[in-house]
């Protein structure tokens, strides 16, 4: 027995398939405390972060595949974020060496993690790899840092612009 679908139904089915395919990867932004040298500076940073006193947060992008059990985190940070010299140099507004990191997460963070949209491509890993290859790794706080990285990567993947400016704390 054969079924014949009219043109309207065919286009609706094709649209649904494209929608499902493009929603294969969820894109999130998460915030964590800035890493600081061990001891009192680290304690101070954690306290400031927990109390939301200042926007001293490190932002990262998380890609969650609906078909995989792990999410992938992408972020941009100083090469040695716990080094005292690095912290002093960065806070003085000077450029420091940065690095783009990739790692896996078993589950999404429960706090300070926001869904920002779906990727516009099935080849997300390849797109992120290409983006990271072109990313300038000279880090300068407030000019070219984790905020810029998160905003630009999210825009590249989802088309959403300046997502960090629209986030609310949770």
């Amino acid at each position: 027995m054969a079924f014949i679908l009219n043109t309207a139904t065919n286009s609706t089915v094709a649209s649904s398939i494209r929608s499902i395919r493009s929603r294969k990867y969820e894109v999130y932004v998460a915030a964590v405390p800035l890493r600081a040298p061990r001891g009192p500076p680290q304690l101070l940073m954690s306290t400031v972060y927990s109390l939301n006193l200042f926007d001293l947060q490190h932002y990262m992008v998380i890609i969650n595949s609906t078909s995989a059990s792990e999410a992938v985190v992408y972020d941009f940070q100083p090469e040695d974020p716990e080094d005292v010299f690095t912290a002093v140099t960065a806070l003085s507004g000077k450029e420091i060496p940065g690095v783009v990191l990739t790692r896996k997460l078993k589950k999404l963070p429960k706090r300070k993690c926001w869904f920002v949209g779906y990727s516009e491509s099935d080849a997300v890993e390849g797109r992120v790899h290409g983006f990271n290859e072109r990313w300038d790794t000279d880090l300068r706080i407030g000019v070219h840092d984790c905020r810029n990285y998160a905003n630009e990567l999210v825009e590249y993947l989802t088309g959403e612009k300046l997502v960090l400016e629209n986030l609310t704390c949770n």
Side-chain angles (χ1 to χ4, degrees):
M1 177 178 232
F3 292 94
I4 299 174
L5 299 174
N6 66 30
T7 307
T9 305
N10 282 339
S11 65
T12 303
V13 169
S15 174
S16 295
I17 290 170
R18 277 193 304 277
S19 176
I20 290 167
R21 225 183 274 143
S22 70
R23 292 178 183 207
K24 185 176 179 182
Y25 296 96
E26 301 166 333
V27 180
Y28 294 83
V29 171
V32 295
L34 286 175
R35 290 171 62 190
R38 297 189 195 287
Q42 195 173 52
L43 179 63
L44 178 64
M45 285 292 197
S46 292
T47 303
V48 167
Y49 171 80
S50 296
L51 298 175
N52 287 319
L53 297 176
F54 299 101
D55 192 21
L56 295 177
Q57 303 180 84
H58 175 67
Y59 291 95
M60 53 195 176
V61 177
I62 302 173
I63 309 296
N64 188 39
S65 171
T66 56
S67 62
S69 62
E70 294 180 329
V72 181
V73 178
Y74 299 96
D75 69 337
F76 176 55
Q77 66 181 27
E79 279 184 357
D80 188 0
E82 295 179 4
D83 178 64
V84 174
F85 179 73
T86 298
V88 170
T89 304
L91 291 173
S92 71
K94 295 184 176 152
E95 215 170 71
I96 58 171
V99 62
V100 175
L101 298 175
T102 302
R103 59 195 173 284
K104 300 208 183 250
L105 281 180
K106 293 282 184 202
K107 58 184 178 176
L108 293 171
K110 292 190 184 307
R111 290 187 65 231
K112 297 193 178 191
C113 182
W114 302 269
F115 172 76
V116 294
Y118 294 100
S119 68
E120 295 182 343
S121 169
D122 286 339
V124 170
E125 290 176 19
R127 292 191 75 204
V128 173
H129 179 74
F131 178 89
N132 288 342
E133 288 291 312
R134 293 185 299 277
W135 186 256
D136 176 10
T137 57
D138 291 330
L139 189 148
R140 189 164 167 212
I141 293 179
V143 176
H144 186 74
D145 59 20
C146 63
R147 288 173 177 83
N148 305 96
Y149 177 83
N151 272 331
E152 291 181 34
L153 180 56
V154 167
E155 181 177 349
Y156 183 68
L157 293 173
T158 68
E160 295 291 325
K161 296 178 186 276
L162 302 172
V163 295
L164 296 184
E165 284 74 11
N166 298 317
L167 297 180
T168 58
C169 292
N170 64 1

